[in-house]
Amino acid sequence: QVQLVESGGGLAQAGGSLRLSCSASGVIVSINTMGWYRQVPGKQRELVAVVSSGGSTTYGDSVKGRFTISRDNAKTTGYLQMDNLKPEDTGVYYCNADIKTSGFSLLRSYWGQGTQVTVSS
């Protein structure tokens, strides 16, 4: 059974920084894309950033230039460095990864349980 566990959320002041980590565990053959999404009450979950297995990155418009996504393939861990935080960055951040669990399986999308990020003004 594959699990994604996020850590690093918490409270920060506007202009501050936080670093989120997402650790994948279980029987994992390969991980394709890893990404971060966030959700606030009453709104749909939105893309924050994704990184491919080759290192290509895509960012949501609201975080470009402030957030940096990265991954350590050897450790099956993804990171989201969040700088110059704004109150509108507040939300629950979810890790997502497309994972292959055997040589015969297809890629399947997995989600973490989410970690709260709160930015005060």
Side-chain angles (χ1 to χ4, degrees), residues 8-11 18 20 82 85 89-93 115-119:
L11 177 65
L18 286 173
L20 304 183
M82 304 186 293
L85 284 162
D89 294 321
T90 295
V92 179
Y93 283 69
T115 185
Q116 176 71 43
V117 170
T118 303
V119 183

Side-chain angles (χ1 to χ4, degrees), residues 19-22 34 36 51 68-72 75 77-81:
R19 189 187 195 215
L20 304 183
S21 298
C22 173
M34 296 187 79
W36 293 91
V51 57
T68 304
I69 189 171
S70 61
R71 62 190 285 174
D72 183 334
K75 295 182 179 180
T77 302
Y79 305 96
L80 184 68
Q81 177 67 39

